[in-house]
Amino acid sequence: MANDALPVDDVARYLRGLHDELTAAIEATDGAGRFRRDTWRRAEGGGGETRVLRDGAVFEQAGINFSHVRGGQLPASATAQRPELTGASFEAMGVSLVVHPRNPHVPTSHANVRFIVARPAREPAAWWFGGGFDLTPYYPRDEDVLHWHRTARSACEPFGADVYPRCKEWCDRYFFLKHRNETRGVGGLFFDDWNEPGFERSYAFMRSVGEHYLPAYLPIVELRKDTPHGDRERHFQLYRRGRYVEFNLVYDRGTLFGLQSGGRTESILMSLPPLARWEYEYAPEAGSPEARLREYLCPRDWLAPSGSG
């Protein structure tokens, strides 16, 4: 497919539909909360719609963002990996979602899918897809992590046996807090600059990732949302949310892309939790459920044949 014939409008329509599907599913799961919807425009071109649910029965905060923006020059966060595109105009669209549950036994989760077209002045247009989803538990259970990764593998299987291991390892590398020497959670999938199989197959892979997020996450929510908990678990949840904030503000390329491209700040930062805490030199009691989390914050082949996968 020629770059000048890319079906950009078709991709945008699909992403808007995914935005609506995710919104409906999160509202139905919460049962009480409803999303506030804010439509916004960007001075340089394009805009989007941010939807935020706060103080729900299940979700303390959930944010789902659709954006479709244009600009005269790709931001530095995009050209760092592709310096040949420095100075290129661009068109970027995507859906991103972050869910912060009330119950500490329900993991935080994140998903996004995106499509970017860059148009250098004297070169053919370049395009790529990106996205993924990852899970950040506070009180992890093996069966939940296995379900998450099995569903992630299912999203990848139609596209080759190597795709899940590749994107799983990519996720482990990307969602890593170097200054803490730990992963953000138990991983999932991550991919970027994805165009090798050609447009149609790359687009189908992005859709598959987007459509497997709800089957991966909602069963875990249903299992854990009513688990008894108290102040101890709540304090630990807020402490670990602080690590989530650290990653998003220090390392996340999507956050940097949005801020560097002049995006809407409230929409970019809707991924942050409504409450978090930090504690100097916190150390959980040895043998406690809180200490057990550390065992999960490193790359692991969850679906290895020798395990339960």
Side-chain angles (χ1 to χ4, degrees), residues 106-107 135 144 147-148 216-225:
V106 181
L135 192 72
D144 296 348
H147 167 77
W148 180 261
Y217 185 53
L218 294 189
I220 299 172
V221 176
E222 293 294 339
L223 277 173
R224 309 303 173 195
K225 66 181 182 179

Side-chain angles (χ1 to χ4, degrees), residues 63-281:
I64 310 176
N65 196 44
F66 167 80
S67 62
H68 184 181
V69 301
R70 304 169 187 83
Q73 184 169 307
L74 274 169
S77 60
T79 59
Q81 306 297 321
R82 307 184 70 158
E84 72 277 10
L85 297 179
T86 300
S89 62
F90 71 92
E91 187 170 359
M93 62 191 71
V95 170
S96 60
L97 173 151
V98 177
V99 177
H100 294 288
R102 286 192 176 280
N103 193 312
H105 293 279
V106 181
T108 286
S109 72
H110 153 263
N112 80 87
V113 286
R114 57 189 177 272
F115 176 56
I116 301 175
V117 182
R119 297 183 174 89
R122 297 181 178 84
E123 301 290 338
W127 58 266
W128 63 93
F129 292 94
F133 49 68
D134 71 294
L135 192 72
T136 307
Y138 308 100
Y139 292 91
R141 291 170 173 82
D142 286 2
E143 58 267 36
D144 296 348
V145 181
L146 287 169
H147 167 77
W148 180 261
H149 278 279
R150 286 173 181 143
T151 310
R153 182 176 61 186
S154 295
C156 300
E157 281 177 333
F159 304 93
D162 66 319
V163 174
Y164 167 73
R166 177 182 174 188
C167 292
K168 186 268 183 192
E169 192 271 338
W170 205 340
C171 185
D172 290 337
R173 281 188 287 112
Y174 180 75
F175 291 106
F176 189 81
L177 287 82
K178 300 178 183 67
H179 63 288
R180 300 289 192 180
N181 193 33
E182 64 185 33
T183 54
R184 186 166 83 171
V186 297
L189 302 174
F190 181 83
F191 65 102
D192 204 0
D193 301 316
W194 194 274
N195 58 16
E196 294 170 11
F199 180 86
E200 291 299 336
R201 196 156 175 81
S202 297
Y203 182 24
F205 177 57
M206 183 204 76
R207 296 197 306 272
S208 184
V209 171
E211 290 158 11
H212 277 77
Y213 165 75
L214 291 172
Y217 185 53
L218 294 189
I220 299 172
V221 176
E222 293 294 339
L223 277 173
R224 309 303 173 195
K225 66 181 182 179
D226 297 319
T227 303
H229 63 279
D231 290 344
R232 171 176 172 162
E233 291 84 2
R234 174 61 168 171
H235 290 161
F236 186 65
Q237 178 195 45
L238 297 183
Y239 170 73
R240 290 303 309 180
R241 279 182 179 177
R243 299 292 173 90
Y244 202 92
V245 173
E246 289 176 22
F247 179 86
N248 278 29
L249 296 184
V250 175
Y251 297 115
D252 187 66
R253 286 171 61 183
T255 301
L256 294 175
F257 183 95
L259 295 174
Q260 291 173 359
S261 63
R264 182 175 183 258
T265 301
E266 289 298 312
S267 299
I268 297 163
L269 298 182
M270 63 87 179
S271 63
L272 301 180
L275 294 172
R277 62 184 287 265
W278 284 261
E279 182 176 331
Y280 182 71
E281 291 194 338

